[in-house]
Amino acid sequence: MAEHRAMQRAALLDAARSLLSHGGTDALTFPALAERTGLARSSVYEYFRSRAAVVEELCSVDFPQWAADIEAAMQQAASPEGKVEAYVRRQLELVGDQRHRAVVAISASELDAGAREKIRAAHGGLIAMIVEALADLGHTQPRLAAMLLQGVVDTAVRRIELDAAEDPTTITDAAVAMALRGVVG
C-alpha cells in the first residue's frame, strides 16, 4: 500500500512538472492533475491539500537534485575558474529540462510564504556552492560576487527561455565569458 501511494505521489509530481513547464502555474490545477494521472479529483486532495503543497513538494524534491547536478559538474573542475565555468554552464544546460522549467514557472508565480522560503533556501544553497571558488579567485566579497554571478546566470536562463535571437550555445558562452572576464570580454 505504501509503495502504491509513493508511486501515485510520484505520478502526481510528474504531472505537476509537465503542467508547470508547459502552461505555468495557471495550468497547475487539481482537475488537470486528476486528468493527467487518471485519479479522481478527490484522490488528488488525499495527497496534497493545495496547489501550494504541490509546489512545496516539487521544491523539496527537485531543487536538491538540481543543486547536486550542478555541484557534481563543479567538482569535476580542477581550478576555481573551471568551477565557475561549470557552475554557469551546468545551470544553462539544465534550462530545457522539465524539472528546471517547472522550477522557473514556480519561481515566477504567486506563492505562499512556505514555498517562497524553500525557493530562497535553494537559491541560497546554489550561491553557497560558488562562494568558495570566488574566494579562491581572490574576491574580497565572494558572497556578493556569487549573488551577482547568479544574476548573470538568471538573465541568461531567461534569454534562452525566450528563444532569443542568439542560440543557447552563444548565450551560454557569453555568460561564461561575463562570469570569468566581466565586461572586458
Side-chain angles (χ1 to χ4, degrees):
M1 184 72 177
E3 189 176 317
H4 178 71
R5 282 190 62 80
M7 285 172 56
Q8 296 274 35
R9 191 175 199 85
L12 284 165
L13 290 175
D14 279 342
R17 278 183 202 100
S18 178
L19 289 165
L20 284 164
S21 68
H22 295 104
T25 49
D26 291 343
L28 180 61
T29 65
F30 278 34
L33 284 172
E35 187 181 320
R36 289 262 173 137
T37 56
L39 293 171
R41 194 184 321 179
S42 59
S43 296
V44 176
Y45 282 99
E46 290 176 28
Y47 292 90
F48 299 104
R49 68 190 183 287
S50 65
R51 281 179 7 144
V54 176
V55 166
E56 280 192 50
E57 179 87 9
L58 278 175
C59 290
S60 62
V61 170
D62 290 354
F63 271 132
Q65 289 180 354
W66 192 32
D69 195 347
I70 295 163
E71 194 165 25
M74 289 173 64
Q75 285 173 348
Q76 291 178 4
S79 67
E81 291 89 350
K83 288 184 188 318
V84 171
E85 181 169 352
Y87 177 83
V88 173
R89 281 194 189 281
R90 191 61 194 132
Q91 284 190 68
L92 297 179
E93 285 165 4
L94 290 169
V95 170
D97 182 75
Q98 192 173 53
R99 284 177 193 271
H100 181 270
R101 284 204 313 267
V103 162
V104 169
I106 290 166
S107 299
S109 70
E110 294 295 311
L111 296 173
D112 70 8
R116 270 198 312 274
E117 187 47 46
K118 277 200 168 56
I119 289 172
R120 256 197 304 280
H123 275 281
L126 271 183
I127 288 168
M129 270 189 234
I130 197 67
V131 169
E132 185 180 343
L134 293 169
D136 290 345
L137 283 172
H139 278 276
T140 55
Q141 293 185 302
R143 183 148 179 78
L144 175 60
M147 288 185 255
L148 295 173
L149 172 59
Q150 189 59 46
V152 169
V153 173
D154 292 345
T155 300
V157 164
R158 281 193 298 281
R159 194 102 185 119
I160 290 169
E161 285 176 338
L162 290 170
D163 289 324
E166 312 86 5
D167 69 284
T169 305
T170 302
I171 295 169
T172 299
D173 290 345
V176 168
M178 179 71 74
L180 294 176
R181 291 185 291 285
V183 293
V184 175

